[in-house]
Amino acid sequence: MSKRALIIEDDPDIAETVRYNLAAEGFATELALTGEEGLALALDAKSPPNLIILDLMLPGMSGMELCRRLRREDPTRRTPIIMLTAKASEADRVAGLDVGADDYVAKPFSVRELLARVRAVLRRADEGAGQVYNDGRLTIDFDDVRASCDQTSIKLTHKEFTLLTALAKKRGRVITRQQLLDQVWGYSYYGDARTLDVHIRRLRQKLGGCGDCIETVVGVGYRFIGCSQTSPAP
């Protein structure tokens, strides 16, 4: 069965260009001209999308608000979202990625680059599907986008969960800071690398007693070491 792509874009020329090229890649495509229409199609249980291409500047509900809504809904919490927009400043890219987008492509764009990014986000989504990490203290359900420490649920943002997933998938291996930025923020991110350190600090805080599962490798990056050797606090 072909994958389904939902294109939420109010510029008909751009929407048709994206639709045509995704169809050529084997996608079944749907178009939405407004945020409200896009939300309804994204949550359609009969034909849920495997990929969402989302413009930021939409009539009605904005792309940013729509992305937040999609990340709060169970059917679309893990659906790859690529923002496609003329808002190309660093602040806009950071904001888009922080509300849950998997990648961010600025207009005007290269169709070949967009398709490469589509393949990349789908590959990452496939790698994380249907797996659970459990070391006795920390549990990460990659498919259901949930984590718990000592049987207590941990509330993480989409970006924090994606970061935790990227680390846990490479347990015991050092991941450089640039590799994490590429995997979690996307190849379009060229902002301050300290963004990663801030997110790691917040992630450790939210993990609480399991926060030391992430080890800092000074001058290089981070390593996920798990929590099985750590005793919970009394």
Side-chain angles (χ1 to χ4, degrees), residues 41-165:
L41 289 173
L43 299 179
D44 183 357
K46 295 180 180 178
S47 57
N50 304 103
L51 168 73
I52 298 173
I53 305 293
L54 174 62
D55 185 20
L56 282 188
M57 301 179 69
L58 295 166
M61 184 188 300
S62 72
M64 286 287 191
E65 178 57 30
L66 177 54
C67 190
R68 291 190 188 94
R69 288 284 302 275
L70 292 173
R71 290 309 184 208
R72 290 199 296 262
E73 300 289 342
D74 286 344
T76 52
R77 279 188 299 170
R78 279 183 48 83
T79 305
I81 298 175
I82 297 179
M83 288 185 171
L84 186 64
T85 175
K87 301 180 72 173
S89 72
E90 179 183 331
D92 291 323
R93 291 198 303 271
V94 171
L97 294 167
D98 279 348
V99 298
D102 294 275
D103 209 340
Y104 193 107
V105 178
K107 301 174 184 176
F109 60 93
S110 158
V111 170
R112 291 181 62 187
E113 180 185 1
L114 175 61
L115 294 178
R117 292 175 184 275
V118 166
R119 290 189 289 269
V121 298
L122 289 175
R123 184 166 57 248
R124 293 199 296 267
D126 289 341
E127 288 172 352
Q131 301 178 46
V132 174
Y133 169 85
N134 189 337
D135 60 24
R137 295 195 61 208
L138 177 64
T139 301
I140 309 169
D141 188 325
F142 301 113
D143 196 38
D144 202 31
V145 198
R146 297 182 189 278
S148 63
C149 178
D150 298 327
Q151 301 183 354
T152 299
S153 179
I154 304 165
K155 186 174 182 180
L156 300 175
T157 66
H158 177 75
K159 191 62 60 183
E160 290 164 349
F161 188 86
T162 304
L163 179 57
L164 179 60
T165 296

